[in-house]
Amino acid sequence: MKRITIATLLLAYSVLSFAQSSVGSGRKQLFDYNWKFNLGDDSLARLRDFNDNAWRNLDLPHDWSIEGSVSPKNPTGGAGGYFPTGIGWYRKTFKVAPEWKGKSIFVYFEGVYMNSEVFINGKSLGIRPYGYSSFRYDLSPYLDFNKENVIAVRVDNSQQVNSRWYSGSGIYRHVWLDVTNPLHLADWGVAITTPEVSSKQASVQVMATIKNETGFPQRIAVNARLLSVSFKDAGNNTTKVELPAHSEKEVTQIIKVSKPLLWTPETPYLYQAQIQVLKGDEKIDETKTTLGIRSIKFTSENGFQLNGKTVKISGGCVHHDNGCLGAAAFDRAEERKVELMKAAGFNAVRTSHNPPSEAFLEACDRLGLLVIDEAFDGWRVGKNKHDYSVYFDKWSKRDLETMVLRDRNHPSIFMWSIGNEVVERNKPEAVVTAKMLAGIVKGIDSTRPVTSAIVKWGNDWESLDPLMAAHDVCGYNYQLQGAPADHKRVPSRVIFQTESYPRDAFANWKLVQNNNYIIGDFVWTAIDYLGESGIGRWYYSGDVPGEHWENDFFPWHGAYCGDIDLTGWRKPISHYRSMLYNDKEKLYMAVREPKPEPLEIKETWWSVWPTWESWTWPGFEGKKLDVDVYSKYPKVRLYFNDKLLEEKPATVNQEFKATFSVPYTPGTLKAVGVENDKEIESTTLQTSGSAAKVRLIADRKQLLPNGQDLSYVSIEITDKNGILQPNASDRLQFKLEGPGVIAGVDNADVKDTDPYTGNSRKAWHGRAIVVIRSTHNAGDIKLTVSSASLSEATITVKALTH
């Protein structure tokens, strides 16, 4: 459907010259452009007349940690990926439109990590500790309509360690100005639900809270109009309301929709609700909310049902970072993350362990990815000295309310999570806390179940029954094998695995398929991420031993447990997992990395054996290599240089795998899927020659010149015939010409400590990536990639206003 996207708003913002620090008419306006930034602390920076001429100019979103050097001396340690943090200040100068006199003007931050304090013209508006909460402040009493105004933000991420993963530092999500009349819709004041859903008819309930901040009673009308996928009128309702002075009222309206288009991951149909506040013929306020018509139900008998049909969850956990961009939540980066998960066969995501960006949820709605929206990593007992436990008693209610109020209209969200592996889980007070948090959620949204991720090493889960009973759906971390015994004890319990080891994909899939009360599995993780350094690590004899990421494994500064790496490349385990849950791909081949004798390869908890799409193994000539073929065909044949080597079964009894032991000789391997003795599909791996050329592939060739749009350019090193050279590690140089900047560079090697910002990076396994960010100018952006021993390559991306 046609929709108003953030990208469109960004373009409109640029056209209306808000980048020139003037603020015009309209209710919600992007406030990302023309900020000043300084890394360091100066209390005088809050003042209006402070001289910030020497400060850096930048646009938001911004993460200063990713710009720093990875070092074992940085206080974040392995948990935070050894990145720097500290204290930073942001300032923005702006003028206010004269027509805004008498209106309420708010500044809205989608997320600042962390301990932010916001000032307007020297006046402190408040502090928000939690780096993942959205918040707003009323600027109106302090604005000067005759002079320039200054908003200043102090960000304190210096108290380390405060996170178990990479957090980033700064104003890493969007900032907006929200301008309202004294008579207006409340902030997050629209709640949309679908209490009745069928293919013939649906009921859409719109609850709107109207505020009258005038000193007079007001007679108004509230009109709710529903637009379909094609922007056709799908129904409307008008209600007349009387509001006393200085009051608010909630208005509930029902709109009946005939033959609704239902939202599912496969068909993510969206509608738009337009809610208007009318006084006579005058439109006083308006908001537009995207929604999906769908029903959800959870029972131990039928599992999770979406629109009356049982759906098995193939889920993945994700942290909030965007790899080489750090925590900066560019809309395109958030959207791409969802695209990668969909392409990898996932139908659900768990936002571990914090509320995500609004852009991420919008992409999940639009592209069709179910979401578990998670509030916190822990409660009152800390996992690190300066983590959320320090703020829990004072802030948890407000932060949880913020998450649910902000996110409740997203059709993609099908569960709320109130925690993860809370340390006090075995104590009675944990049950009290869980009931308190669940009550907060239910007080705002009773249409979705409440869950959390619970772990207990060993088989004695019975002691956690009281805590489990405080949840609607029970999340098990890494212990799904205990679910059948628990089901016998508590038959009504609905269970899913909130985190699982990648290597256990088949065993978990089998439990999900064979038990209705187990609704799905969420692997740790869907995508690699920074921090929690060493998760997914494998190592060689003589390296620092250790199973768990909490050890110091520098230069490892990220996690390699994802199905998808930091460049977006799908690892072999991704193809295997997708094959289990989907029929979109049915054949895949890769080769297990051979042991570099006399050394051995050692695995760790979250690792799988290093396996690559490669038949290029110099030094191993004549030695047998294990070739893995994943197949949904009942039989697989393996050919070498078109000569049949062997045929093997690959049914569920073989876990849809066939492994062949093949002496390494340069040439071509071909795996063929066989059904009813007919060869249906094939895939090949061909030995590569020496690295000779660079191949560039851009995910998008056209960008908006809004200062925030992105193009991800994949770099592949090939031989002279264009075959990927999977062992290439050449140093690459990047040159960019035209109205763009290099926002980040990466190669997916979380042991490579080269900067993520810059114009150079080594290839790893023949690959690297460059992320191009648009500026505010249109034109051709030309990227040239060169290397001392390779022929250079160029690619052009266009920044266009239309």
Side-chain angles (χ1 to χ4, degrees), residues 604-639:
T604 58
W605 289 352
W606 283 272
S607 73
V608 295
W609 193 276
T611 305
W612 310 98
E613 295 174 2
S614 171
W615 192 241
T616 305
W617 299 95
F620 289 91
E621 287 78 6
K623 296 181 180 179
K624 289 187 176 181
L625 304 186
D626 288 333
V627 178
D628 283 342
V629 180
Y630 311 142
S631 174
K632 275 293 187 73
Y633 298 101
K635 294 180 181 180
V636 172
R637 292 172 184 163
L638 187 68
Y639 293 83

Side-chain angles (χ1 to χ4, degrees), residues 27 104 106 136 138 180-190 208-220 222 241-251 275 277 279 284-285 405:
R27 173 160 179 176
S104 296
F106 295 86
R136 73 201 300 254
D138 187 357
T180 69
N181 290 304
L183 184 63
H184 63 94
L185 289 154
D187 184 42
W188 296 326
V190 174
T209 300
I210 316 300
K211 284 192 172 186
N212 177 15
E213 295 178 338
T214 74
F216 305 96
Q218 300 285 346
R219 291 183 177 181
I220 61 167
V222 179
V241 182
E242 292 189 8
L243 282 89
H246 301 294
S247 69
E248 67 177 52
K249 185 173 288 187
E250 188 175 76
V251 179
I275 296 93
V277 178
K279 187 172 176 60
I284 303 297
D285 197 8
L405 283 169

Side-chain angles (χ1 to χ4, degrees), residues 628-690:
D628 283 342
V629 180
Y630 311 142
S631 174
K632 275 293 187 73
Y633 298 101
K635 294 180 181 180
V636 172
R637 292 172 184 163
L638 187 68
Y639 293 83
F640 179 71
N641 289 344
D642 292 327
K643 179 183 178 182
L644 178 63
L645 298 181
E646 196 173 358
E647 178 181 283
K648 286 192 172 186
T651 68
V652 66
N653 294 327
Q654 291 79 36
E655 301 185 0
F656 304 111
K657 293 180 181 178
T659 300
F660 302 86
S661 183
V662 182
Y664 175 64
T665 303
T668 301
L669 282 178
K670 182 171 72 171
V672 180
V674 179
E675 195 166 33
N676 297 324
D677 289 327
K678 292 184 179 180
E679 296 189 348
I680 307 297
E681 181 184 351
S682 67
T683 183
T684 62
L685 292 173
Q686 187 174 351
T687 304
S688 175
S690 300

Side-chain angles (χ1 to χ4, degrees), residues 7 43 80 212 275 343 353 372 546 570 674 682 795:
S43 61
N212 177 15
I275 296 93
H353 306 289
I372 297 177
R570 293 178 61 191
V674 179
S682 67
I795 194 168

Side-chain angles (χ1 to χ4, degrees), residues 307-437:
N307 303 326
K309 297 179 181 179
T310 296
V311 174
K312 292 295 188 178
I313 299 298
S314 172
C317 300
V318 296
H319 277 314
H320 70 295
D321 75 88
N322 284 305
C324 64
L325 303 179
F330 294 99
D331 288 2
R332 173 55 194 157
E334 301 293 274
E335 178 184 59
R336 178 177 178 267
K337 197 153 47 178
V338 178
E339 289 176 351
L340 291 174
M341 290 190 67
K342 289 284 291 184
F346 292 106
N347 64 5
V349 60
R350 172 175 170 238
T351 66
S352 318
H353 306 289
N354 49 263
S357 72
E358 294 183 38
F360 183 80
L361 293 175
E362 288 168 2
C364 290
D365 292 343
R366 190 172 63 255
L367 300 176
L369 193 66
L370 292 160
V371 178
I372 297 177
D373 202 352
E374 190 156 87
F376 322 111
D377 183 32
W379 296 342
R380 289 187 174 88
V381 181
K383 301 172 183 177
N384 285 304
K385 183 178 180 181
H386 301 286
D387 66 13
Y388 191 72
S389 63
V390 177
Y391 311 105
F392 184 86
D393 283 332
K394 183 177 179 181
W395 287 95
S396 60
K397 181 177 185 294
R398 191 183 309 184
D399 287 328
L400 186 56
E401 287 175 342
T402 293
M403 180 184 81
V404 180
L405 283 169
R406 190 197 73 169
D407 296 346
R408 60 184 168 177
N409 293 325
H410 289 281
S412 56
I413 296 174
F414 75 125
M415 278 192 270
W416 302 111
S417 173
I418 56 175
N420 172 67
E421 295 184 356
V422 296
V423 178
E424 63 267 43
R425 57 187 172 270
N426 287 304
K427 298 179 180 180
E429 51 263 38
V431 180
V432 176
T433 302
K435 289 180 178 179
M436 179 270 290
L437 295 173

Side-chain angles (χ1 to χ4, degrees), residues 162-227:
N162 60 48
S163 176
R164 295 190 303 119
W165 56 89
Y166 177 85
S167 66
S169 302
I171 308 178
Y172 68 104
R173 292 178 180 168
H174 291 305
V175 183
W176 302 83
L177 280 189
D178 192 9
V179 183
T180 69
N181 290 304
L183 184 63
H184 63 94
L185 289 154
D187 184 42
W188 296 326
V190 174
I192 300 177
T193 57
T194 51
E196 297 177 3
V197 175
S198 74
S199 59
K200 294 182 179 179
Q201 182 173 281
S203 295
V204 177
Q205 178 178 283
V206 179
M207 297 174 63
T209 300
I210 316 300
K211 284 192 172 186
N212 177 15
E213 295 178 338
T214 74
F216 305 96
Q218 300 285 346
R219 291 183 177 181
I220 61 167
V222 179
N223 177 256
R225 182 185 179 208
L226 205 62
L227 299 177

Side-chain angles (χ1 to χ4, degrees), residues 118-132:
V118 179
F119 302 84
I120 181 67
N121 295 332
K123 169 66 178 178
S124 176
L125 297 174
I127 295 172
R128 192 71 177 227
Y130 196 34
Y132 301 107

Side-chain angles (χ1 to χ4, degrees), residues 35-40 42 45 49-58 89 91 93:
W35 287 75
K36 294 272 195 172
F37 170 72
N38 186 59
L39 184 56
D42 188 338
D49 297 329
F50 179 82
N51 187 347
D52 58 14
N53 289 338
W55 286 21
R56 173 182 168 193
N57 292 296
L58 56 76
W89 279 85
R91 286 168 52 89
T93 301

